[in-house]
Amino acid sequence: MPNDGVLYYRWLFNEPRVLLTNPKAIGEVLVQRNYEFVKPERIRNGLGRLLGVGILIAEGDEHKRQRKLLMPAFSFRHIKDLYPIFWEKAREMTDRMTETMRSSPDGSSVIEIREWSSRATLDIIGLAGCGQDFDSLANPDNELNQTYKSIFSSNRGAQLVQLFLGMLPHWLAVALPLKRNDEIGKAIGTIKSVARDLIADKRAKTLAGKADQVDILSVAMQSGGFSDDDLVNQLMTFLAAGHETTASAMSWAVYLLCKHPDVQARLRAEVRAELDINGTINAAKIDKLPYLNAVLNETMRLFPPVPLTLREAAHDTTIQGAFIPAGTTVVICPWAINTATALWGADARTFDPERWLAPGKSNTGGAESNYANTTFLHGPRSCIGRDFAKAEFACLVASLVGRFEVGWEDGVEWELKIQGGITARPKGGLRVRLREVEGGEKGEA
């Protein structure tokens, strides 16, 4: 449909909405005038309940303050020191997958990839974020892992309840005597308790001179800019958002590698030629693998874990010259932008890692505009954990593909259905069959 970058439409109950469709409109909302477009109040209330009122929810000057204090923890100079943690947990994941298959009573080699990925990423954010190993890979029944599982594994009924609650005032929605409200309330209590314990433990170690000072929590505490309640909110944000998004990305990567066995074979050849898959790695070793990074970039382009984000005009304004009244919901849809033929060409919806390999295209995929890829958004509200997530994702995929050949559970292509929520993922999970590659457990290249 021809448009100037802004499509106006009506949503539920005739609510006016505008969808941004081109780079200029996206740049205007996310970069040039980003603080004029805020997260809608019902989204802030709903997400704030689950994720804490941390950097993801903060607006205006408070957001600027928090981001400035937290940025040192997410600088690449700091992230590169975390690669060994990412790799060690990725290796533990593949080791435990092997053990599980070998000890299976029926000799099954089928695993549910998102469940494994979620446990690995929860452990990673525990170590790299708080200096605490939650041991979810070793013990999937631990309280924190089960708590997040109950929050994020919403079925259709829970989604409908959530949609209904989203239409009500927040104070009323959370007060209704519903089972889902009870589950979320209990989960939030558990997560806050874990966060407070982590903060107390970190403070005690710091006073005793035993804290290693490299994790996100240490940096936040050293800044002196956060109260204990603030720290609980930041931890809730990073624990939830920091593991759920990458776990979803892993599901999409595995789905695409099953669908394109030629890509998987080429990726495995690169990983095994360049890495000792049972040894240690550093940032330089992972970052110099062009095909790995091309596969990851193409996965995140086609299937960004957060498919849709909303803003609201804080006051009467314009986008691309079009009048936008105060309170109008503005929709930014990475799934649509990232696969727009006007921005990516006729093969925009095709999985093609090659688009990232041509000279000068390793960061753009060949798109002319920086705003053609909105997976991590842009500007002051872009994802602060982008480099963290990309490095973690790279280690997890490299370790999995280096150790196993991954295929469809029944040997035939699986029909994709998508499940929404805070992140988008294959509906009902993604069960795949693993075959250990010869030499995988010995780390032979």
PDB file of all heavy atoms in Angstrom, residues 230-247:
ATOM      1  N   ASP A 230      15.807   0.190  43.631  1.00  0.00           N
ATOM      2  CA  ASP A 230      16.184   0.400  42.222  1.00  0.00           C
ATOM      3  C   ASP A 230      16.955  -0.805  41.697  1.00  0.00           C
ATOM      4  O   ASP A 230      16.740  -1.265  40.571  1.00  0.00           O
ATOM      5  CB  ASP A 230      17.077   1.637  42.061  1.00  0.00           C
ATOM      6  CG  ASP A 230      16.346   2.938  42.334  1.00  0.00           C
ATOM      7  OD1 ASP A 230      15.106   2.950  42.218  1.00  0.00           O
ATOM      8  OD2 ASP A 230      17.018   3.929  42.672  1.00  0.00           O
ATOM      9  N   LEU A 231      17.886  -1.297  42.505  1.00  0.00           N
ATOM     10  CA  LEU A 231      18.710  -2.438  42.084  1.00  0.00           C
ATOM     11  C   LEU A 231      17.851  -3.681  41.870  1.00  0.00           C
ATOM     12  O   LEU A 231      18.079  -4.444  40.926  1.00  0.00           O
ATOM     13  CB  LEU A 231      19.809  -2.726  43.125  1.00  0.00           C
ATOM     14  CG  LEU A 231      20.936  -1.697  43.206  1.00  0.00           C
ATOM     15  CD1 LEU A 231      21.799  -1.969  44.441  1.00  0.00           C
ATOM     16  CD2 LEU A 231      21.795  -1.722  41.947  1.00  0.00           C
ATOM     17  N   VAL A 232      16.851  -3.877  42.726  1.00  0.00           N
ATOM     18  CA  VAL A 232      15.926  -5.009  42.550  1.00  0.00           C
ATOM     19  C   VAL A 232      15.230  -4.879  41.198  1.00  0.00           C
ATOM     20  O   VAL A 232      15.122  -5.851  40.438  1.00  0.00           O
ATOM     21  CB  VAL A 232      14.883  -5.060  43.700  1.00  0.00           C
ATOM     22  CG1 VAL A 232      13.741  -6.017  43.354  1.00  0.00           C
ATOM     23  CG2 VAL A 232      15.547  -5.511  45.004  1.00  0.00           C
ATOM     24  N   ASN A 233      14.775  -3.685  40.867  1.00  0.00           N
ATOM     25  CA  ASN A 233      14.090  -3.462  39.589  1.00  0.00           C
ATOM     26  C   ASN A 233      15.007  -3.721  38.398  1.00  0.00           C
ATOM     27  O   ASN A 233      14.609  -4.348  37.419  1.00  0.00           O
ATOM     28  CB  ASN A 233      13.539  -2.027  39.526  1.00  0.00           C
ATOM     29  CG  ASN A 233      12.242  -1.874  40.292  1.00  0.00           C
ATOM     30  OD1 ASN A 233      11.346  -2.707  40.177  1.00  0.00           O
ATOM     31  ND2 ASN A 233      12.134  -0.836  41.096  1.00  0.00           N
ATOM     32  N   GLN A 234      16.260  -3.236  38.478  1.00  0.00           N
ATOM     33  CA  GLN A 234      17.195  -3.474  37.367  1.00  0.00           C
ATOM     34  C   GLN A 234      17.479  -4.968  37.221  1.00  0.00           C
ATOM     35  O   GLN A 234      17.522  -5.496  36.098  1.00  0.00           O
ATOM     36  CB  GLN A 234      18.512  -2.706  37.590  1.00  0.00           C
ATOM     37  CG  GLN A 234      18.378  -1.199  37.682  1.00  0.00           C
ATOM     38  CD  GLN A 234      17.838  -0.551  36.412  1.00  0.00           C
ATOM     39  OE1 GLN A 234      17.675  -1.189  35.381  1.00  0.00           O
ATOM     40  NE2 GLN A 234      17.533   0.735  36.489  1.00  0.00           N
ATOM     41  N   LEU A 235      17.667  -5.655  38.337  1.00  0.00           N
ATOM     42  CA  LEU A 235      17.940  -7.098  38.281  1.00  0.00           C
ATOM     43  C   LEU A 235      16.762  -7.847  37.678  1.00  0.00           C
ATOM     44  O   LEU A 235      16.949  -8.755  36.858  1.00  0.00           O
ATOM     45  CB  LEU A 235      18.228  -7.647  39.680  1.00  0.00           C
ATOM     46  CG  LEU A 235      19.687  -7.741  40.106  1.00  0.00           C
ATOM     47  CD1 LEU A 235      19.784  -8.504  41.419  1.00  0.00           C
ATOM     48  CD2 LEU A 235      20.538  -8.419  39.054  1.00  0.00           C
ATOM     49  N   MET A 236      15.553  -7.480  38.073  1.00  0.00           N
ATOM     50  CA  MET A 236      14.365  -8.132  37.512  1.00  0.00           C
ATOM     51  C   MET A 236      14.342  -7.954  35.994  1.00  0.00           C
ATOM     52  O   MET A 236      14.027  -8.888  35.245  1.00  0.00           O
ATOM     53  CB  MET A 236      13.089  -7.546  38.125  1.00  0.00           C
ATOM     54  CG  MET A 236      12.838  -7.977  39.555  1.00  0.00           C
ATOM     55  SD  MET A 236      11.359  -7.183  40.232  1.00  0.00           S
ATOM     56  CE  MET A 236      10.052  -8.066  39.351  1.00  0.00           C
ATOM     57  N   THR A 237      14.687  -6.740  35.536  1.00  0.00           N
ATOM     58  CA  THR A 237      14.701  -6.462  34.094  1.00  0.00           C
ATOM     59  C   THR A 237      15.712  -7.346  33.386  1.00  0.00           C
ATOM     60  O   THR A 237      15.398  -8.011  32.386  1.00  0.00           O
ATOM     61  CB  THR A 237      15.044  -4.972  33.843  1.00  0.00           C
ATOM     62  OG1 THR A 237      14.017  -4.164  34.405  1.00  0.00           O
ATOM     63  CG2 THR A 237      15.155  -4.686  32.346  1.00  0.00           C
ATOM     64  N   PHE A 238      16.948  -7.377  33.902  1.00  0.00           N
ATOM     65  CA  PHE A 238      18.001  -8.112  33.200  1.00  0.00           C
ATOM     66  C   PHE A 238      17.828  -9.631  33.321  1.00  0.00           C
ATOM     67  O   PHE A 238      18.137 -10.367  32.376  1.00  0.00           O
ATOM     68  CB  PHE A 238      19.383  -7.678  33.696  1.00  0.00           C
ATOM     69  CG  PHE A 238      19.721  -6.274  33.291  1.00  0.00           C
ATOM     70  CD1 PHE A 238      20.024  -5.310  34.236  1.00  0.00           C
ATOM     71  CD2 PHE A 238      19.692  -5.904  31.959  1.00  0.00           C
ATOM     72  CE1 PHE A 238      20.308  -4.005  33.860  1.00  0.00           C
ATOM     73  CE2 PHE A 238      19.974  -4.602  31.560  1.00  0.00           C
ATOM     74  CZ  PHE A 238      20.285  -3.651  32.517  1.00  0.00           C
ATOM     75  N   LEU A 239      17.312 -10.096  34.439  1.00  0.00           N
ATOM     76  CA  LEU A 239      17.097 -11.543  34.592  1.00  0.00           C
ATOM     77  C   LEU A 239      16.053 -12.040  33.602  1.00  0.00           C
ATOM     78  O   LEU A 239      16.236 -13.078  32.956  1.00  0.00           O
ATOM     79  CB  LEU A 239      16.655 -11.876  36.019  1.00  0.00           C
ATOM     80  CG  LEU A 239      17.729 -11.833  37.109  1.00  0.00           C
ATOM     81  CD1 LEU A 239      17.096 -12.066  38.483  1.00  0.00           C
ATOM     82  CD2 LEU A 239      18.819 -12.863  36.859  1.00  0.00           C
ATOM     83  N   ALA A 240      14.958 -11.293  33.471  1.00  0.00           N
ATOM     84  CA  ALA A 240      13.876 -11.749  32.581  1.00  0.00           C
ATOM     85  C   ALA A 240      14.196 -11.468  31.119  1.00  0.00           C
ATOM     86  O   ALA A 240      14.288 -12.383  30.296  1.00  0.00           O
ATOM     87  CB  ALA A 240      12.568 -11.078  32.989  1.00  0.00           C
ATOM     88  N   ALA A 241      14.388 -10.181  30.797  1.00  0.00           N
ATOM     89  CA  ALA A 241      14.612  -9.810  29.394  1.00  0.00           C
ATOM     90  C   ALA A 241      15.919 -10.405  28.878  1.00  0.00           C
ATOM     91  O   ALA A 241      16.027 -10.783  27.714  1.00  0.00           O
ATOM     92  CB  ALA A 241      14.630  -8.287  29.263  1.00  0.00           C
ATOM     93  N   GLY A 242      16.909 -10.510  29.753  1.00  0.00           N
ATOM     94  CA  GLY A 242      18.232 -10.966  29.326  1.00  0.00           C
ATOM     95  C   GLY A 242      18.322 -12.442  29.014  1.00  0.00           C
ATOM     96  O   GLY A 242      19.269 -12.869  28.355  1.00  0.00           O
ATOM     97  N   HIS A 243      17.372 -13.230  29.471  1.00  0.00           N
ATOM     98  CA  HIS A 243      17.473 -14.652  29.113  1.00  0.00           C
ATOM     99  C   HIS A 243      16.355 -15.092  28.170  1.00  0.00           C
ATOM    100  O   HIS A 243      16.563 -15.926  27.291  1.00  0.00           O
ATOM    101  CB  HIS A 243      17.535 -15.535  30.375  1.00  0.00           C
ATOM    102  CG  HIS A 243      16.238 -16.092  30.868  1.00  0.00           C
ATOM    103  ND1 HIS A 243      15.411 -15.405  31.728  1.00  0.00           N
ATOM    104  CD2 HIS A 243      15.640 -17.290  30.657  1.00  0.00           C
ATOM    105  CE1 HIS A 243      14.362 -16.153  32.009  1.00  0.00           C
ATOM    106  NE2 HIS A 243      14.464 -17.297  31.373  1.00  0.00           N
ATOM    107  N   GLU A 244      15.194 -14.503  28.274  1.00  0.00           N
ATOM    108  CA  GLU A 244      14.061 -14.937  27.449  1.00  0.00           C
ATOM    109  C   GLU A 244      14.266 -14.606  25.973  1.00  0.00           C
ATOM    110  O   GLU A 244      13.943 -15.407  25.094  1.00  0.00           O
ATOM    111  CB  GLU A 244      12.782 -14.269  28.002  1.00  0.00           C
ATOM    112  CG  GLU A 244      11.558 -14.382  27.126  1.00  0.00           C
ATOM    113  CD  GLU A 244      11.054 -15.808  26.951  1.00  0.00           C
ATOM    114  OE1 GLU A 244      11.508 -16.707  27.680  1.00  0.00           O
ATOM    115  OE2 GLU A 244      10.205 -16.023  26.071  1.00  0.00           O
ATOM    116  N   THR A 245      14.821 -13.423  25.687  1.00  0.00           N
ATOM    117  CA  THR A 245      14.997 -13.022  24.289  1.00  0.00           C
ATOM    118  C   THR A 245      16.008 -13.908  23.567  1.00  0.00           C
ATOM    119  O   THR A 245      15.766 -14.351  22.436  1.00  0.00           O
ATOM    120  CB  THR A 245      15.450 -11.551  24.205  1.00  0.00           C
ATOM    121  OG1 THR A 245      16.544 -11.364  25.113  1.00  0.00           O
ATOM    122  CG2 THR A 245      14.322 -10.598  24.571  1.00  0.00           C
ATOM    123  N   THR A 246      17.139 -14.188  24.207  1.00  0.00           N
ATOM    124  CA  THR A 246      18.154 -15.017  23.545  1.00  0.00           C
ATOM    125  C   THR A 246      17.696 -16.463  23.420  1.00  0.00           C
ATOM    126  O   THR A 246      18.002 -17.138  22.433  1.00  0.00           O
ATOM    127  CB  THR A 246      19.496 -14.940  24.307  1.00  0.00           C
ATOM    128  OG1 THR A 246      19.824 -13.566  24.538  1.00  0.00           O
ATOM    129  CG2 THR A 246      20.619 -15.576  23.504  1.00  0.00           C
ATOM    130  N   ALA A 247      16.926 -16.944  24.394  1.00  0.00           N
ATOM    131  CA  ALA A 247      16.378 -18.306  24.291  1.00  0.00           C
ATOM    132  C   ALA A 247      15.446 -18.403  23.079  1.00  0.00           C
ATOM    133  O   ALA A 247      15.457 -19.403  22.349  1.00  0.00           O
ATOM    134  CB  ALA A 247      15.638 -18.681  25.575  1.00  0.00           C
TER     135      ALA A 247
END
